[in-house]
Amino acid sequence: MYRKNLANKKIISALGVVLLAWAGFVFADRYIEESPMASPIIGSAIYSPPPNIAEVVSQVEVVKDIRYHESDNAFMDFYYPKDATGPLPVVLWIHGGGFIGGSKDSRQDYGMVLANEGYLVANIDYALAPGQLYPGPVIQANEALRFLQQSAAQYGGDMKRIFVGGDSAGAQIASQLAALQSNPALAETMNLAPAVSSEQLRGALLFCGLYDMQTVRDSGFPNIDFFLNAYTGAESFEAFGNIHEMSTIQHVTSDYPDVFISAGDADPLEPQSVALADSLRFRGVDVTDVFFRDTDKNLKHEYQYALDTNDGQETLGKTLDFLLEKSQPAQ
């Protein structure tokens, strides 16, 4: 069902270089922030749990490594409140990592924080490039929704109220997944059957993603060509025959679910989020955005996970407000 990369030695070699470079970047970023000689830096791409994480952990049930499909790396974790008394809205979360890395475990703290507020969070892994090429992860995310249709109730979930969300590459996958459920033309083009109805899909949570493949190279995001070349299997991702499918901005309709979207002012991908928000509003979709243009806050890529900062906590609060509003039972 999925395309495999049959000639990826060069990609794998380059992958090592990029990962080493990225590790160096993160280390340098942490060193600069912690060094007493450095100027204070407000933004951070380093994941930090909220101050009350111990309380959250004590109140949330965790079920690990449920297989949702027979494809590679198709595992799901469930998080839900231990004291839940009624059906819970469901949040499917898709991690980032440039399509080549990352895991659900890196998003567990965040998923548990959401769950603690009254949600069943399904946090998934998916097969990574270059071993798995596009559209594999989108297909897997759709299969995760299909699995939830059959299994969410077992963990207290209400599939009449479902959200999809993700960060960075995961936000791209989540945004395309939402388009797949709500745009029959895209579903036909991809030859995929949507796993849920657009009526079930209450919203999309999109953090610092990429949504327009025609303009994303211009963002200057580090190694963006490498990530997308690895994901598509093309020497140049713009030449990939199905690249237009990945441009969510081309596939949003008035039936697209309500959206919560955010990016930091120092994130090179921020213009991608702003453009998608504008396109959604133009089509009549309800959008809640959190942007920081002209604030000089220096909030970096994935600032949303710095839950020990005021900006991270404030955005979390707005995310929870969005979920609460959009998950109310239909009248």
Side-chain angles (χ1 to χ4, degrees):
M1 180 168 60
Y2 305 142
R3 297 184 307 119
K4 296 288 185 180
N5 187 352
L6 301 180
N8 56 21
K9 290 184 179 179
K10 291 184 178 180
I11 292 178
I12 292 174
S13 176
L15 171 59
V17 174
V18 170
L19 290 179
L20 287 172
W22 183 254
F25 170 79
V26 172
F27 175 81
D29 191 44
R30 183 187 297 270
Y31 176 81
I32 291 171
E33 293 192 354
E34 294 179 350
S35 170
M37 301 300 293
S39 300
I41 295 181
I42 300 172
S44 175
I46 298 171
Y47 308 127
S48 302
N52 67 332
I53 188 61
E55 178 183 353
V56 169
V57 170
S58 72
Q59 296 175 164
V60 173
E61 191 71 39
V62 176
V63 181
K64 298 282 289 184
D65 296 328
I66 304 298
R67 179 170 282 281
Y68 65 84
H69 193 249
E70 68 272 12
S71 53
D72 292 344
N73 205 32
F75 294 97
M76 174 185 292
D77 293 349
F78 284 115
Y79 319 130
Y80 55 91
K82 292 180 178 178
D83 62 355
T85 58
L88 303 172
V90 179
V91 180
L92 175 68
W93 197 262
I94 306 172
H95 71 79
F99 306 104
I100 64 173
S103 74
K104 58 183 173 57
D105 292 341
S106 68
R107 306 301 187 257
Q108 179 164 324
D109 283 354
Y110 188 82
M112 292 176 71
V113 169
L114 296 183
N116 193 50
E117 298 296 324
Y119 300 92
L120 172 64
V121 176
N123 180 22
I124 64 168
D125 273 335
Y126 52 91
L128 301 173
Q132 176 62 68
L133 301 180
Y134 174 85
V138 182
I139 296 172
Q140 287 183 297
N142 195 50
E143 291 296 336
L145 286 178
R146 199 178 311 281
F147 176 83
L148 288 170
Q149 286 276 54
Q150 305 301 320
S151 303
Q154 176 182 346
Y155 300 94
D158 177 7
M159 285 297 288
K160 294 180 181 178
R161 298 178 290 162
I162 187 163
F163 299 81
V164 297
D167 60 279
S168 195
Q172 189 284 320
I173 296 169
S175 72
Q176 188 174 347
L177 181 66
L180 174 66
Q181 312 308 308
S182 59
N183 184 343
L186 178 61
E188 182 177 359
T189 297
M190 296 186 68
N191 194 29
L192 290 175
V196 301
S197 69
S198 57
E199 290 77 16
Q200 292 173 266
L201 194 55
R202 294 294 190 89
L205 309 173
L206 305 177
F207 294 169
C208 54
L210 52 158
Y211 313 109
D212 188 345
M213 301 305 118
Q214 292 182 339
T215 62
V216 70
R217 185 184 290 274
D218 296 336
S219 71
F221 190 85
N223 302 305
I224 190 63
D225 56 340
F226 173 80
F227 296 135
L228 288 170
N229 292 352
Y231 187 39
T232 61
E235 290 188 9
S236 176
F237 68 86
E238 292 97 339
F240 177 57
N242 295 329
I243 192 66
H244 63 283
E245 296 174 2
M246 296 169 56
S247 289
T248 301
I249 198 167
Q250 296 183 24
H251 303 293
V252 295
T253 70
S254 59
D255 292 325
Y256 200 86
D258 296 342
V259 169
F260 182 93
I261 190 167
S262 180
D265 59 317
D267 184 348
L269 292 178
E270 185 256 13
Q272 295 270 308
S273 292
V274 173
L276 180 61
D278 290 345
S279 180
L280 288 163
R281 288 195 176 99
F282 180 77
R283 287 161 177 79
V285 177
D286 186 67
V287 177
T288 301
D289 66 49
V290 179
F291 299 132
F292 299 89
R293 290 194 161 183
D294 302 320
T295 64
D296 295 324
K297 285 179 174 288
N298 195 34
L299 294 172
K300 301 175 186 177
H301 191 63
E302 299 192 327
Y303 85 92
Q304 297 91 342
Y305 291 123
L307 295 179
D308 60 343
T309 67
N310 289 337
D311 292 301
Q313 291 180 13
E314 288 175 8
T315 297
L316 172 63
K318 293 174 182 178
T319 303
L320 293 171
D321 289 345
F322 174 87
L323 287 169
L324 180 62
E325 176 188 351
K326 304 303 180 182
S327 63
Q328 295 303 306
Q331 301 296 321

